Structures are given as C-alpha cells and as structure tokens.
Coordinates of all heavy atoms in Angstrom, one line a residue:
M1 N 27.6 91.9 -115.7 CA 28.9 91.4 -115.3 C 30.0 91.8 -116.3 O 29.7 91.9 -117.4 CB 28.8 89.8 -115.3 CG 27.8 89.3 -114.3 SD 28.3 88.1 -113.2 CE 28.5 86.7 -114.0
G2 N 31.2 91.9 -115.7 CA 32.3 92.4 -116.5 C 33.1 91.3 -117.2 O 32.9 90.1 -116.8
K3 N 33.9 91.6 -118.1 CA 34.8 90.6 -118.7 C 35.9 90.3 -117.8 O 36.4 91.1 -117.0 CB 35.4 91.2 -120.0 CG 34.4 91.3 -121.1 CD 35.3 91.8 -122.3 CE 34.5 91.8 -123.6 NZ 35.4 92.3 -124.7
R4 N 36.5 89.1 -118.0 CA 37.7 88.7 -117.3 C 38.9 89.4 -118.0 O 38.9 89.5 -119.2 CB 37.9 87.2 -117.3 CG 37.0 86.5 -116.4 CD 37.4 85.0 -116.4 NE 36.5 84.3 -115.5 CZ 36.7 83.1 -115.1 NH1 37.7 82.4 -115.7 NH2 35.9 82.5 -114.3
K5 N 39.8 89.7 -117.2 CA 41.0 90.4 -117.7 C 41.9 89.3 -118.3 O 42.2 88.2 -117.7 CB 41.8 91.1 -116.7 CG 41.1 92.4 -116.2 CD 42.0 93.2 -115.3 CE 41.3 94.4 -114.9 NZ 42.1 95.2 -114.0
S6 N 42.4 89.5 -119.5 CA 43.3 88.5 -120.1 C 44.7 88.7 -119.5 O 45.1 89.8 -119.2 CB 43.4 88.6 -121.6 OG 43.9 89.9 -121.9
A7 N 45.5 87.6 -119.4 CA 46.8 87.7 -118.8 C 47.7 88.4 -119.8 O 47.7 88.2 -121.0 CB 47.3 86.3 -118.6
A8 N 48.5 89.3 -119.3 CA 49.5 90.0 -120.1 C 50.6 89.1 -120.6 O 51.1 88.3 -119.8 CB 50.0 91.2 -119.3
K9 N 50.9 89.3 -121.9 CA 52.0 88.5 -122.4 C 53.3 89.0 -121.8 O 53.5 90.2 -121.6 CB 52.1 88.6 -123.9 CG 50.9 87.9 -124.6 CD 51.1 88.0 -126.1 CE 50.0 87.3 -126.8 NZ 50.1 87.3 -128.2
P10 N 54.3 88.1 -121.5 CA 55.6 88.6 -121.0 C 56.3 89.3 -122.1 O 56.2 89.0 -123.3 CB 56.3 87.3 -120.6 CG 55.6 86.2 -121.4 CD 54.2 86.6 -121.6
P11 N 57.2 90.2 -121.7 CA 57.9 91.0 -122.7 C 58.9 90.1 -123.5 O 59.4 89.1 -122.9 CB 58.7 92.0 -121.9 CG 58.8 91.5 -120.6 CD 57.5 90.7 -120.4
P12 N 59.2 90.3 -124.7 CA 60.1 89.5 -125.5 C 61.5 89.5 -124.9 O 62.0 90.6 -124.4 CB 60.1 90.1 -126.9 CG 59.6 91.5 -126.7 CD 58.7 91.5 -125.5
K13 N 62.2 88.4 -125.0 CA 63.6 88.4 -124.4 C 64.5 89.1 -125.3 O 64.4 89.1 -126.5 CB 64.1 86.9 -124.3 CG 63.3 86.1 -123.3 CD 63.8 84.7 -123.2 CE 63.0 83.9 -122.2 NZ 63.5 82.6 -122.0
K14 N 65.5 89.8 -124.7 CA 66.5 90.6 -125.5 C 67.5 89.6 -126.0 O 68.0 88.7 -125.3 CB 67.2 91.6 -124.6 CG 66.2 92.7 -124.1 CD 67.0 93.8 -123.4 CE 66.1 94.9 -122.9 NZ 66.8 95.9 -122.1
R15 N 67.9 89.8 -127.3 CA 68.9 89.0 -127.9 C 70.3 89.6 -127.5 O 70.5 90.8 -127.6 CB 68.8 89.0 -129.4 CG 67.5 88.3 -129.9 CD 67.5 88.2 -131.3 NE 68.6 87.3 -131.7 CZ 68.9 87.0 -132.9 NH1 68.2 87.4 -133.9 NH2 69.9 86.2 -133.2
M16 N 71.2 88.7 -127.1 CA 72.5 89.1 -126.8 C 73.3 89.3 -128.2 O 73.1 88.5 -129.1 CB 73.2 88.0 -126.0 CG 72.7 88.0 -124.6 SD 73.6 86.9 -123.5 CE 75.3 87.1 -123.9
D17 N 74.1 90.3 -128.2 CA 74.9 90.6 -129.4 C 76.0 89.5 -129.5 O 76.5 89.1 -128.5 CB 75.5 92.0 -129.3 CG 74.5 93.1 -129.4 OD1 73.4 92.8 -130.0 OD2 74.7 94.2 -128.9
K18 N 76.3 89.2 -130.7 CA 77.4 88.3 -130.9 C 78.7 88.9 -130.6 O 79.0 90.1 -130.9 CB 77.4 87.8 -132.4 CG 76.3 87.0 -132.8 CD 76.5 85.6 -132.6 CE 75.4 84.8 -133.2 NZ 75.5 83.4 -133.0
L19 N 79.6 88.2 -130.0 CA 80.9 88.7 -129.6 C 81.8 88.5 -130.9 O 81.7 87.7 -131.7 CB 81.5 87.9 -128.5 CG 80.8 88.0 -127.2 CD1 81.4 87.1 -126.1 CD2 80.8 89.4 -126.7
D20 N 82.9 89.4 -130.9 CA 83.8 89.4 -132.1 C 84.6 88.1 -132.1 O 84.9 87.5 -131.0 CB 84.7 90.6 -132.0 CG 84.0 91.9 -132.3 OD1 83.0 91.8 -132.9 OD2 84.6 92.9 -131.9
T21 N 85.1 87.7 -133.2 CA 86.0 86.5 -133.4 C 87.3 87.0 -134.0 O 88.2 86.2 -134.1 CB 85.4 85.4 -134.2 OG1 85.0 85.9 -135.5 CG2 84.1 84.8 -133.5
V22 N 87.4 88.2 -134.5 CA 88.6 88.7 -135.0 C 89.0 90.0 -134.3 O 88.1 90.8 -133.9 CB 88.5 89.0 -136.6 CG1 88.4 87.8 -137.4 CG2 87.4 90.0 -136.9
F23 N 90.3 90.1 -134.0 CA 90.8 91.2 -133.2 C 92.0 91.8 -133.8 O 92.6 91.4 -134.8 CB 91.1 90.7 -131.8 CG 90.0 89.9 -131.2 CD1 90.0 88.5 -131.3 CD2 89.0 90.5 -130.5 CE1 89.0 87.7 -130.8 CE2 87.9 89.7 -130.0 CZ 87.9 88.3 -130.1
S24 N 92.6 92.9 -133.1 CA 93.8 93.5 -133.6 C 95.0 92.8 -132.9 O 94.9 92.4 -131.8 CB 93.8 95.0 -133.3 OG 93.7 95.2 -131.9
C25 N 96.1 92.7 -133.7 CA 97.3 92.0 -133.2 C 98.0 92.9 -132.2 O 98.3 94.0 -132.4 CB 98.1 91.6 -134.4 SG 99.6 90.8 -133.9
P26 N 98.4 92.3 -131.0 CA 99.2 93.1 -130.1 C 100.7 93.3 -130.5 O 101.4 94.1 -130.0 CB 99.2 92.2 -128.8 CG 98.9 90.8 -129.3 CD 98.1 91.0 -130.5
F27 N 101.1 92.6 -131.5 CA 102.5 92.7 -132.0 C 102.6 93.7 -133.2 O 103.5 94.6 -133.2 CB 103.1 91.4 -132.3 CG 103.3 90.5 -131.2 CD1 102.3 89.5 -130.9 CD2 104.3 90.6 -130.3 CE1 102.4 88.7 -129.8 CE2 104.4 89.8 -129.2 CZ 103.5 88.9 -128.9
C28 N 101.8 93.5 -134.2 CA 101.9 94.3 -135.4 C 100.9 95.4 -135.4 O 100.9 96.3 -136.3 CB 101.9 93.5 -136.7 SG 100.3 92.7 -137.0
N29 N 99.9 95.4 -134.5 CA 98.9 96.4 -134.4 C 98.0 96.5 -135.6 O 97.4 97.5 -135.9 CB 99.4 97.8 -134.0 CG 100.0 97.8 -132.6 OD1 99.5 97.2 -131.7 ND2 101.0 98.6 -132.4
H30 N 97.9 95.5 -136.4 CA 97.1 95.5 -137.6 C 95.7 95.1 -137.2 O 95.4 94.1 -136.5 CB 97.6 94.4 -138.6 CG 97.0 94.6 -140.0 ND1 95.8 94.0 -140.3 CD2 97.5 95.3 -141.0 CE1 95.6 94.3 -141.6 NE2 96.6 95.1 -142.0
G31 N 94.7 95.9 -137.5 CA 93.3 95.7 -137.1 C 92.7 94.5 -137.7 O 93.0 94.2 -138.9
S32 N 91.9 93.8 -137.0 CA 91.2 92.6 -137.4 C 92.0 91.6 -138.2 O 91.6 91.0 -139.2 CB 89.9 93.0 -138.3 OG 90.3 93.5 -139.5
S33 N 93.2 91.3 -137.7 CA 94.1 90.3 -138.3 C 94.2 89.1 -137.4 O 94.7 88.1 -137.9 CB 95.5 90.9 -138.6 OG 96.1 91.3 -137.3
V34 N 93.8 89.1 -136.2 CA 93.9 88.0 -135.3 C 92.6 87.2 -135.4 O 91.5 87.8 -135.1 CB 94.2 88.4 -133.9 CG1 94.2 87.2 -132.9 CG2 95.6 89.0 -133.8
E35 N 92.7 85.9 -135.7 CA 91.5 85.1 -135.7 C 91.6 84.0 -134.6 O 92.7 83.4 -134.5 CB 91.4 84.4 -137.1 CG 90.2 83.6 -137.3 CD 90.1 83.0 -138.6 OE1 91.0 82.2 -139.0 OE2 89.2 83.4 -139.4
C36 N 90.6 83.8 -133.9 CA 90.6 82.8 -132.8 C 89.8 81.6 -133.2 O 88.6 81.7 -133.8 CB 89.9 83.4 -131.5 SG 90.9 84.7 -130.8
R37 N 90.3 80.4 -133.0 CA 89.7 79.2 -133.3 C 89.6 78.3 -132.1 O 90.6 78.3 -131.3 CB 90.4 78.4 -134.4 CG 90.2 79.1 -135.8 CD 90.9 78.3 -136.9 NE 92.3 78.2 -136.7 CZ 93.2 79.1 -137.0 NH1 92.8 80.2 -137.6 NH2 94.5 78.9 -136.9
I38 N 88.5 77.6 -131.9 CA 88.4 76.7 -130.7 C 88.2 75.3 -131.2 O 87.3 75.0 -132.0 CB 87.2 77.2 -129.8 CG1 87.4 78.6 -129.3 CG2 87.0 76.2 -128.7 CD1 86.3 79.2 -128.6
D39 N 89.0 74.4 -130.7 CA 88.9 73.0 -131.1 C 88.4 72.3 -129.8 O 89.2 71.9 -128.9 CB 90.3 72.4 -131.5 CG 90.2 71.0 -131.9 OD1 89.1 70.4 -131.9 OD2 91.3 70.4 -132.1
M40 N 87.1 72.1 -129.8 CA 86.5 71.4 -128.6 C 86.8 70.0 -128.4 O 86.8 69.4 -127.3 CB 85.0 71.6 -128.6 CG 84.5 73.0 -128.4 SD 85.2 73.8 -126.9 CE 84.3 72.9 -125.6
K41 N 87.2 69.3 -129.5 CA 87.6 67.9 -129.5 C 88.8 67.7 -128.7 O 88.9 66.8 -127.9 CB 87.7 67.4 -130.9 CG 88.0 65.9 -130.9 CD 88.1 65.4 -132.4 CE 88.4 63.9 -132.4 NZ 88.5 63.4 -133.8
N42 N 89.8 68.6 -128.9 CA 91.1 68.5 -128.2 C 91.2 69.5 -127.1 O 92.3 69.6 -126.4 CB 92.3 68.7 -129.2 CG 92.3 67.6 -130.3 OD1 92.0 66.5 -130.0 ND2 92.6 68.0 -131.5
L43 N 90.2 70.3 -126.9 CA 90.2 71.3 -125.8 C 91.3 72.3 -125.9 O 92.0 72.7 -125.0 CB 90.1 70.7 -124.4 CG 88.9 69.8 -124.1 CD1 89.1 69.2 -122.8 CD2 87.6 70.6 -124.2
I44 N 91.5 72.8 -127.2 CA 92.6 73.8 -127.4 C 92.0 75.0 -128.1 O 91.2 74.8 -129.1 CB 93.7 73.1 -128.3 CG1 94.4 72.0 -127.5 CG2 94.7 74.2 -128.7 CD1 95.4 71.3 -128.4
G45 N 92.4 76.2 -127.7 CA 92.0 77.4 -128.3 C 93.2 78.1 -128.9 O 94.3 78.1 -128.2
E46 N 93.1 78.6 -130.1 CA 94.3 79.2 -130.7 C 93.9 80.5 -131.3 O 92.9 80.7 -132.0 CB 94.8 78.3 -131.9 CG 96.0 78.8 -132.5 CD 96.5 77.9 -133.6 OE1 95.7 77.1 -134.1 OE2 97.7 78.0 -134.0
A47 N 94.8 81.5 -131.1 CA 94.7 82.8 -131.7 C 95.9 83.0 -132.5 O 97.0 82.9 -132.1 CB 94.6 83.9 -130.6
S48 N 95.7 83.4 -133.8 CA 96.9 83.6 -134.7 C 96.6 84.9 -135.6 O 95.5 85.1 -136.0 CB 97.1 82.4 -135.6 OG 95.9 82.1 -136.3
C49 N 97.7 85.6 -135.8 CA 97.7 86.8 -136.7 C 98.0 86.3 -138.1 O 99.0 85.6 -138.3 CB 98.7 87.8 -136.2 SG 98.8 89.3 -137.2
R50 N 97.2 86.8 -139.0 CA 97.5 86.5 -140.4 C 98.6 87.3 -141.0 O 99.2 87.0 -142.0 CB 96.2 86.8 -141.2 CG 95.1 85.8 -140.9 CD 93.9 86.0 -141.8 NE 93.3 87.4 -141.7 CZ 92.2 87.7 -141.1 NH1 91.5 86.7 -140.6 NH2 91.7 88.9 -141.1
I51 N 98.9 88.5 -140.4 CA 100.0 89.4 -141.0 C 101.4 89.0 -140.5 O 102.2 88.7 -141.3 CB 99.6 90.8 -140.6 CG1 98.2 91.2 -141.0 CG2 100.7 91.8 -141.2 CD1 97.9 91.1 -142.4
C52 N 101.6 88.9 -139.2 CA 102.9 88.7 -138.7 C 103.1 87.2 -138.2 O 104.2 86.9 -137.7 CB 103.2 89.6 -137.5 SG 102.2 89.4 -136.0
Q53 N 102.1 86.4 -138.4 CA 102.2 85.0 -138.1 C 102.5 84.6 -136.6 O 102.9 83.5 -136.3 CB 103.4 84.3 -138.9 CG 103.3 84.5 -140.4 CD 101.9 84.1 -141.0 OE1 101.4 83.0 -140.7 NE2 101.4 84.9 -141.9
E54 N 102.2 85.6 -135.7 CA 102.3 85.3 -134.3 C 101.1 84.4 -133.9 O 100.0 84.6 -134.5 CB 102.3 86.6 -133.5 CG 103.6 87.3 -133.5 CD 104.7 86.6 -132.8 OE1 104.5 85.9 -131.8 OE2 105.9 86.7 -133.2
N55 N 101.3 83.5 -132.9 CA 100.1 82.7 -132.5 C 100.2 82.4 -131.0 O 101.3 82.6 -130.4 CB 100.0 81.4 -133.3 CG 101.2 80.6 -133.2 OD1 102.1 80.8 -132.4 ND2 101.2 79.5 -134.0
F56 N 99.1 82.1 -130.4 CA 99.0 81.7 -129.0 C 98.0 80.6 -128.9 O 96.9 80.7 -129.5 CB 98.5 83.0 -128.2 CG 98.2 82.7 -126.8 CD1 99.2 82.6 -125.9 CD2 96.9 82.6 -126.4 CE1 99.0 82.4 -124.6 CE2 96.6 82.4 -125.1 CZ 97.6 82.3 -124.1
S57 N 98.3 79.7 -128.1 CA 97.3 78.6 -127.8 C 97.2 78.4 -126.3 O 98.1 78.6 -125.6 CB 97.7 77.3 -128.5 OG 98.9 76.9 -128.0
T58 N 96.0 77.9 -125.9 CA 95.7 77.7 -124.5 C 94.6 76.6 -124.4 O 94.0 76.3 -125.4 CB 95.2 79.0 -123.9 OG1 95.0 78.8 -122.5 CG2 93.9 79.5 -124.5
T59 N 94.4 76.1 -123.2 CA 93.4 75.1 -123.0 C 92.0 75.8 -122.8 O 92.0 77.0 -122.4 CB 93.7 74.3 -121.7 OG1 93.8 75.2 -120.6 CG2 94.9 73.5 -121.9
V60 N 91.0 75.2 -123.3 CA 89.6 75.8 -123.2 C 88.7 74.8 -122.5 O 89.0 73.6 -122.3 CB 89.1 76.1 -124.6 CG1 90.0 77.1 -125.3 CG2 89.0 74.8 -125.5
N61 N 87.5 75.3 -122.2 CA 86.5 74.5 -121.6 C 85.2 74.8 -122.4 O 85.2 75.5 -123.4 CB 86.3 74.7 -120.1 CG 86.0 76.2 -119.8 OD1 85.3 76.8 -120.5 ND2 86.5 76.6 -118.7
A62 N 84.1 74.2 -122.0 CA 82.8 74.4 -122.7 C 82.3 75.8 -122.8 O 81.6 76.1 -123.7 CB 81.8 73.5 -122.1
L63 N 82.7 76.6 -121.8 CA 82.2 78.0 -121.8 C 83.1 79.0 -122.4 O 82.8 80.2 -122.5 CB 82.0 78.4 -120.3 CG 81.0 77.5 -119.5 CD1 81.0 78.0 -118.1 CD2 79.6 77.6 -120.2
T64 N 84.2 78.6 -123.0 CA 85.2 79.5 -123.5 C 84.7 80.1 -124.9 O 84.2 79.4 -125.7 CB 86.6 78.8 -123.8 OG1 87.0 78.2 -122.5 CG2 87.6 79.7 -124.3
E65 N 84.9 81.4 -125.0 CA 84.6 82.1 -126.2 C 85.9 82.7 -126.8 O 86.9 82.7 -126.2 CB 83.6 83.3 -125.9 CG 82.3 82.9 -125.4 CD 81.4 82.3 -126.5 OE1 81.6 82.6 -127.6 OE2 80.5 81.5 -126.1
P66 N 85.9 83.1 -128.1 CA 87.1 83.6 -128.7 C 87.6 84.8 -128.0 O 88.9 85.0 -127.9 CB 86.6 84.0 -130.1 CG 85.5 83.1 -130.4 CD 84.8 82.9 -129.1
I67 N 86.8 85.7 -127.4 CA 87.3 86.8 -126.7 C 88.1 86.4 -125.5 O 89.0 87.1 -125.1 CB 86.1 87.8 -126.3 CG1 86.6 89.1 -125.6 CG2 85.2 87.1 -125.4 CD1 87.3 90.0 -126.6
D68 N 87.8 85.2 -124.9 CA 88.5 84.7 -123.7 C 89.9 84.3 -124.1 O 90.9 84.6 -123.4 CB 87.8 83.5 -123.1 CG 86.4 83.9 -122.6 OD1 86.2 85.0 -122.1 OD2 85.5 83.0 -122.8
I69 N 90.1 83.7 -125.3 CA 91.4 83.3 -125.8 C 92.2 84.6 -126.1 O 93.4 84.6 -125.7 CB 91.3 82.5 -127.0 CG1 90.5 81.2 -126.7 CG2 92.6 82.1 -127.6 CD1 90.1 80.4 -127.9
Y70 N 91.7 85.5 -126.7 CA 92.4 86.8 -127.0 C 92.8 87.5 -125.7 O 93.9 88.0 -125.6 CB 91.5 87.7 -127.9 CG 92.2 89.0 -128.3 CD1 93.2 89.0 -129.2 CD2 91.8 90.2 -127.7 CE1 93.8 90.2 -129.6 CE2 92.4 91.4 -128.1 CZ 93.4 91.4 -129.0 OH 94.0 92.6 -129.3
S71 N 91.9 87.5 -124.8 CA 92.2 88.2 -123.5 C 93.3 87.5 -122.8 O 94.2 88.2 -122.2 CB 90.9 88.2 -122.6 OG 89.9 89.0 -123.2
E72 N 93.3 86.2 -122.8 CA 94.4 85.5 -122.2 C 95.7 85.8 -122.9 O 96.8 85.9 -122.2 CB 94.2 84.0 -122.2 CG 93.2 83.5 -121.2 CD 93.0 82.0 -121.1 OE1 94.0 81.3 -121.3 OE2 91.9 81.5 -120.9
W73 N 95.7 85.9 -124.2 CA 96.9 86.2 -124.9 C 97.4 87.6 -124.5 O 98.6 87.8 -124.3 CB 96.6 86.2 -126.4 CG 97.8 86.3 -127.3 CD1 99.1 86.2 -127.0 CD2 97.8 86.6 -128.7 NE1 99.9 86.3 -128.1 CE2 99.2 86.6 -129.2 CE3 96.8 86.9 -129.6 CZ2 99.5 86.9 -130.5 CZ3 97.2 87.1 -131.0 CH2 98.5 87.1 -131.4
I74 N 96.5 88.6 -124.4 CA 96.9 89.9 -124.0 C 97.5 89.9 -122.6 O 98.5 90.5 -122.3 CB 95.7 90.9 -124.1 CG1 95.3 91.0 -125.6 CG2 96.1 92.3 -123.6 CD1 96.3 91.6 -126.5
D75 N 96.8 89.2 -121.7 CA 97.3 89.1 -120.3 C 98.7 88.5 -120.3 O 99.6 88.9 -119.5 CB 96.3 88.3 -119.5 CG 95.0 89.0 -119.3 OD1 94.9 90.2 -119.5 OD2 94.0 88.3 -118.9
E76 N 98.9 87.4 -121.1 CA 100.2 86.8 -121.1 C 101.3 87.7 -121.6 O 102.4 87.7 -121.1 CB 100.1 85.5 -121.9 CG 101.4 84.7 -121.9 CD 101.6 84.0 -120.6 OE1 100.7 83.9 -119.7 OE2 102.8 83.6 -120.3
C77 N 101.0 88.5 -122.6 CA 101.9 89.5 -123.2 C 102.3 90.5 -122.1 O 103.5 90.8 -122.0 CB 101.4 90.2 -124.4 SG 101.2 89.1 -125.9
E78 N 101.3 91.0 -121.4 CA 101.6 92.0 -120.4 C 102.4 91.4 -119.2 O 103.3 92.0 -118.7 CB 100.3 92.5 -119.8 CG 99.6 93.4 -120.8 CD 98.2 93.9 -120.2 OE1 97.8 93.5 -119.1 OE2 97.6 94.7 -121.0
R79 N 102.1 90.1 -118.9 CA 102.9 89.4 -117.8 C 104.3 89.3 -118.2 O 105.2 89.5 -117.4 CB 102.3 88.1 -117.5 CG 102.9 87.4 -116.3 CD 102.4 86.0 -116.1 NE 102.8 85.1 -117.2 CZ 104.0 84.5 -117.3 NH1 104.9 84.8 -116.4 NH2 104.3 83.7 -118.3
V80 N 104.6 88.9 -119.5 CA 106.0 88.7 -119.9 C 106.7 90.0 -120.0 O 107.8 90.1 -119.6 CB 106.0 88.0 -121.3 CG1 107.3 88.1 -122.0 CG2 105.5 86.6 -121.2
N81 N 106.0 91.1 -120.4 CA 106.6 92.4 -120.5 C 107.0 92.9 -119.1 O 108.0 93.6 -118.9 CB 105.7 93.4 -121.2 CG 105.7 93.1 -122.7 OD1 106.6 92.5 -123.2 ND2 104.6 93.6 -123.3
T82 N 106.1 92.7 -118.1 CA 106.4 93.2 -116.7 C 107.6 92.3 -116.1 O 108.4 92.9 -115.4 CB 105.2 93.1 -115.8 OG1 104.7 91.8 -115.8 CG2 104.1 94.0 -116.3
V83 N 107.7 91.1 -116.4 CA 108.8 90.2 -115.9 C 110.1 90.7 -116.5 O 111.1 90.8 -115.8 CB 108.5 88.7 -116.2 CG1 109.7 87.9 -115.9 CG2 107.3 88.3 -115.3
E84 N 110.1 90.9 -117.8 CA 111.3 91.4 -118.5 C 111.6 92.8 -118.0 O 112.8 93.1 -117.8 CB 111.1 91.5 -120.0 CG 111.0 90.1 -120.6 CD 110.8 90.1 -122.1 OE1 110.6 91.3 -122.7 OE2 110.8 89.1 -122.8
G85 N 110.7 93.6 -117.7 CA 110.9 95.0 -117.2 C 111.5 94.9 -115.8 O 112.4 95.7 -115.5
D86 N 111.1 94.0 -115.0 CA 111.7 93.8 -113.6 C 113.1 93.3 -113.7 O 113.9 93.7 -112.8 CB 110.8 92.9 -112.8 CG 109.5 93.5 -112.5 OD1 109.3 94.7 -112.6 OD2 108.6 92.7 -112.1
D87 N 113.5 92.5 -114.7 CA 114.8 92.0 -114.8 C 115.8 93.0 -115.2 O 117.0 93.0 -114.8 CB 114.9 90.8 -115.8 CG 114.1 89.6 -115.4 OD1 113.8 89.5 -114.2 OD2 113.8 88.7 -116.2
D88 N 115.4 94.0 -115.9 CA 116.3 95.1 -116.4 C 116.7 96.0 -115.2 O 117.8 96.6 -115.2 CB 115.7 95.9 -117.5 CG 115.5 95.1 -118.8 OD1 116.2 94.1 -118.9 OD2 114.6 95.5 -119.6
A89 N 115.8 96.2 -114.2 CA 116.1 97.1 -113.1 C 117.1 96.6 -112.1 O 117.5 95.5 -112.0 CB 114.8 97.4 -112.4

C-alpha cells in the first residue's frame, strides 16, 4: 500500500508595499516637502508644504490614505487653473 499524499501548503501572501506619505509640492516643486496628516477623530486630512507653507485640507473617511489627500489637492489645483484659464478667454 502507498502513502497518503500530504496536502500542499498554500503559497505565502504577498505583502503590499507601503504608500508614500511625503510628496513634491505643486507650487514650489520641492521634492518630498509635502507631508500629509490624517486626523480620524475630526475626519480631516491635511497636506502641507514645509518650504512654501501652502496647505490643503479635506474631509476623510476610514479608507482614506495620504496619497488620496495629495491627489485631491492636485485635482483641485488643476480644476482652479482650468476655471481661471476659461475666464481669460
């Protein structure tokens, strides 16, 4: 009689890489000068530049990450620039 086959172990789970928490400033273009902080108690996320003192704040939820706050800031900058560009024409 033969041996019983042992059950194969499942492959190890891949670890997700950590997302960045510091970014480059859209105003002064200084690399890694924008730091994002999330205040879950007050549901506020804030991104601020240490060099030019520009800042942006937005509401957050339980799933919000620092990259989300920075992306919203960039989107808001682009939206303001396109509105100002339309007014000049």
